[in-house]
Amino acid sequence: SSTSRGLGDVYKRQVLVGDANGDGFVNNSDVTAIYNYLTDSTVYPLNSFRSADTNNDGIVDFTDAVNIYNYLNEQLEGFYDL
């Protein structure tokens, strides 16, 4: 018997939490992407809202940018599990 996975399972595996700009890495550019998005989301849209929402509360805000900053500075071990 084979196991079937839905599209949701595939999507979850492709999300890199913290990668707000969608370049495949979590770095300072993601912090900048969130700040730019919060300043003007029409000019600076996020490549992945789900990746930017580091605490999985359904919104992208300064807390998410701070979480990425703290993660990069080893003050946060990681983000929520998908």
Side-chain angles (χ1 to χ4, degrees):
S1 145
S2 65
T3 301
S4 175
R5 291 193 167 159
L7 188 54
D9 293 329
V10 173
Y11 178 71
K12 286 180 184 179
R13 285 188 307 220
Q14 293 177 347
V15 172
L16 175 59
V17 179
D19 182 20
N21 66 1
D23 67 356
F25 302 95
V26 178
N27 53 35
N28 285 321
S29 297
D30 301 302
V31 175
T32 302
I34 292 175
Y35 279 124
N36 288 343
Y37 167 77
L38 293 172
T39 301
D40 188 349
S41 63
T42 59
V43 175
Y44 302 105
L46 290 174
N47 286 342
S48 176
F49 186 90
R50 178 123 188 221
S51 294
D53 184 13
T54 62
N55 59 1
N56 199 25
D57 65 356
I59 59 173
V60 174
D61 56 17
F62 288 110
T63 300
D64 299 301
V66 170
N67 284 346
I68 295 170
Y69 177 84
N70 287 339
Y71 172 75
L72 293 172
N73 289 289
E74 299 179 0
Q75 297 173 3
L76 183 67
E77 288 186 24
F79 309 113
Y80 72 95
D81 292 327
L82 291 175

